[in-house]
Amino acid sequence: MACETNTLLIFPLLFVAACYMQQCVYGKSQMPCLFIFGDSLSDSGNNNNLVTLSKVNYKPYGIDFPTGPTGRFSNGLTSIDILAQLLGFEDFIPPFANTMGSNILKGVNYASGSAGIRNETGKHLGADIDLGFQLQNHKTIIARFAIMLGGAQQASQYLNECLYYVNIGSNDYINNYFLPQFYSTSRVYSPNQYAQDLIGRLSQSIKILHNAGARKMVIVGPGPIGCTPNAIATHGSCIQEQNAAALIFSSKLKSLVDRLNRKFTGSKFIFRNSTTDFYASIKRFRVSNAACCRLVLNSLCALQQTPCENRNEYMFWDGFHPTSAANKLTALRSYNSSNPDFVYPMNVQHLIQS
Ligand SMILES: *[C@@H]1O[C@H](CO)[C@@H](O)[C@H](O)[C@H]1NC(C)=O
Ligand SMILES: *[C@@H]1O[C@H](CO)[C@@H](O)[C@H](O)[C@H]1NC(C)=O
Ligand SMILES: *[C@@H]1O[C@H](CO)[C@@H](O)[C@H](O)[C@H]1NC(C)=O
């Protein structure tokens, strides 16, 4: 019962610690629903049926996932999978591309590998579902909610209680700005202007979500995109120019979140800094500059190749994406940031303590 009343509070994330102590983390989630917008860090299968090089529904992806390859860009769970578990969701949030057999009232995952805030981002790899399209898909789901809940008003009230997770923007750098052979943006914009352009677009998207009932939102800034195994393999060390560009975007994103909190006083927007997470995690892994699997073009894992065995010692699974061990740290840190009294479960304490 205590858990149920939590959903009435402005931002239930802040109150789950008490609930955790009462062990109701299992079986009852802290909010009724979770919607996920983003890129390959969160994708759970939306690209599987698209014509694109950016899909991973093959082995060795998913080697540590209960059902094998699913389209997740990791060996096991993504950080939002783990965060959802911590929040008490019993099932994974279904990908929009396949909600068959799932209760969409618990939320939907719209994230798509190679997708960006700008609609041309990543398209040299093939099709993807850019942020604008993800919002369109959310509209489709909202229409179904109205039917399921008996009207637009009821749907809107229900949508107010959901958590919205937005983690997008890295591809606008990795798969756009820093690929001048495919995209002209770096000739048109300075890093500062480009970040401003992305923030303008993202701000519009967030306002669309707010109009569609979103009141609790976690907005995740990019990590050091110049320190992926891909960047290190092609450049010899971290590409500081890319890290610097991502930091400009991240700092403007933080300001945007501050502005949104001032403007929409009945809503709560939380900024997460992935760069902080990266440097907190890197110390925990023996290998942080190379991938666990054998790569094609320093990017994705080669088909059917046997990956490293000691996956908990690797920060990166492939050329761009963290192992599920690294995702676990990110999720736990994210969870703890809203519940400082949170006690890490026994099975991850060895990852947390140095
Ligand atoms: C991409 O976005 C621009 C506006 O920034 C719009 O004019 C264009 O039609 C969009 N293209 C597609 C394919 O959606
Ligand atoms: C994010 O974290 C990095 C590393 O700790 C820091 O340099 C940067 O200023 C932070 N960005 C924001 C917007 O807080
Ligand atoms: C959780 O976060 C708080 C505040 O940042 C920190 O003091 C505490 O040590 C963290 N708890 C654990 C278990 O890491």
Side-chain angles (χ1 to χ4, degrees), residues 247 250-255 271 273-277 279:
L247 277 181
S250 180
S251 119
K252 289 185 193 293
L253 189 58
K254 170 82 169 65
S255 307
F271 169 76
N273 186 343
S274 301
T275 302
T276 312
D277 284 339
Y279 290 111

Side-chain angles (χ1 to χ4, degrees), residues 53 120-126 174-187:
L53 296 172
E120 81 275 15
T121 288
K123 295 292 196 297
H124 70 290
L125 296 167
I174 296 171
N175 283 312
N176 185 329
Y177 195 76
F178 289 112
L179 289 183
Q181 64 274 40
F182 292 112
Y183 303 93
S184 63
T185 44
S186 61
R187 293 184 286 277

Side-chain angles (χ1 to χ4, degrees), residues 118-245:
R118 293 176 62 99
N119 59 11
E120 81 275 15
T121 288
K123 295 292 196 297
H124 70 290
L125 296 167
D128 67 45
I129 308 160
D130 56 69
L131 182 58
F133 225 100
Q134 292 182 29
L135 292 170
Q136 286 296 318
N137 289 341
H138 185 50
K139 244 184 166 172
T140 305
I141 292 294
I142 290 179
R144 286 169 65 185
F145 272 36
I147 295 166
M148 293 166 84
L149 297 171
Q153 175 91 36
Q154 287 87 335
S156 161
Q157 272 171 14
Y158 188 81
L159 289 162
N160 286 170
E161 302 301 324
C162 306
L163 181 66
Y164 298 76
Y165 175 91
V166 181
N167 185 356
I168 196 162
S170 301
N171 282 319
D172 294 292
Y173 290 93
I174 296 171
N175 283 312
N176 185 329
Y177 195 76
F178 289 112
L179 289 183
Q181 64 274 40
F182 292 112
Y183 303 93
S184 63
T185 44
S186 61
R187 293 184 286 277
V188 177
Y189 302 103
S190 71
N192 194 57
Q193 290 167 333
Y194 190 62
Q196 202 56 51
D197 172 86
L198 295 178
I199 292 296
R201 291 167 194 262
L202 187 55
S203 164
Q204 286 306 312
S205 298
I206 290 171
K207 282 172 189 156
I208 289 170
L209 273 180
H210 185 267
N211 284 339
R215 295 293 177 271
K216 301 151 195 156
M217 212 179 285
V218 174
I219 301 169
V220 185
I225 52 174
C227 291
T228 60
N230 172 279
I232 291 169
T234 51
H235 185 259
S237 58
C238 290
I239 307 176
Q240 294 309 340
E241 185 196 5
Q242 297 194 2
N243 289 346

